[in-house]
């Protein structure tokens, strides 16, 4: 299997472009990108009127083991419980591998 591209698009309770939103995006980048196995962490702002979400995170994992380790890593688990669930109003997650 090839690498896993993990993406999540989301909307925050604090809305677009507020100081609270900018703080959330920056702190998320710092926390999540530092977890072992996370590669190419990126933050995106949605510009299409065809999508209901405002922001997105994207990251790459070398393989399923790296992805699984990320999901169970204490920093990620704490982040989801203490930050994500409190700040994110709705989201969609997608995990992709290259089609051969």
């Amino acid at each position: 299997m090839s690498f896993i591209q993990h993406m999540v698009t989301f909307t925050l309770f604090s809305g677009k472009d507020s100081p609270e939103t900018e703080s959330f995006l920056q702190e998320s980048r710092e926390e999540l990108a530092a977890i072992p196995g996370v590669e190419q962490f990126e933050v995106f702002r949605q510009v299409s009127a065809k999508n209901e979400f405002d922001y997105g995170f994207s990251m790459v994992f070398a393989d399923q083991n790296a992805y699984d380790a990320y999901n169970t890593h204490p920093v990620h688990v704490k982040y989801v419980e203490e930050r994500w669930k409190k700040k994110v109003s709705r989201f969609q997650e997608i995990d992709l591998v290259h089609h051969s």
Side-chain angles (χ1 to χ4, degrees):
M1 182 189 332
S2 62
F3 68 86
I4 296 171
Q5 179 82 42
H6 172 68
M7 295 176 283
V8 59
T9 54
F10 57 93
T11 297
L12 297 169
F13 288 115
S14 57
K16 288 183 184 177
D17 304 323
S18 72
E20 185 179 351
T21 294
E22 292 307 312
S23 177
F24 173 85
L25 296 174
Q26 182 60 36
E27 291 168 3
S28 296
R29 178 193 315 266
E30 291 168 5
E31 289 180 40
L32 300 177
I35 297 173
V38 173
E39 301 175 24
Q40 301 174 31
F41 187 92
E42 297 179 281
V43 177
F44 296 96
R45 185 177 191 282
Q46 175 60 252
V47 295
S48 172
K50 297 176 186 177
N51 190 303
E52 65 184 86
F53 301 104
D54 296 329
Y55 296 97
F57 293 155
S58 176
M59 61 196 86
V60 173
F61 297 95
D63 54 30
Q64 188 67 48
N65 289 336
Y67 180 64
D68 292 343
Y70 165 80
N71 276 314
T72 59
H73 192 279
V75 170
H76 180 256
V77 172
K78 181 179 178 181
Y79 170 85
V80 170
E81 289 301 316
E82 295 182 5
R83 188 178 308 274
W84 185 263
K85 287 183 177 180
K86 294 177 182 178
K87 304 287 184 182
V88 175
S89 63
R90 64 187 188 278
F91 71 96
Q92 181 176 24
E93 193 172 311
I94 187 166
D95 300 304
L96 302 168
V97 296
H98 280 167
H99 185 313
S100 53

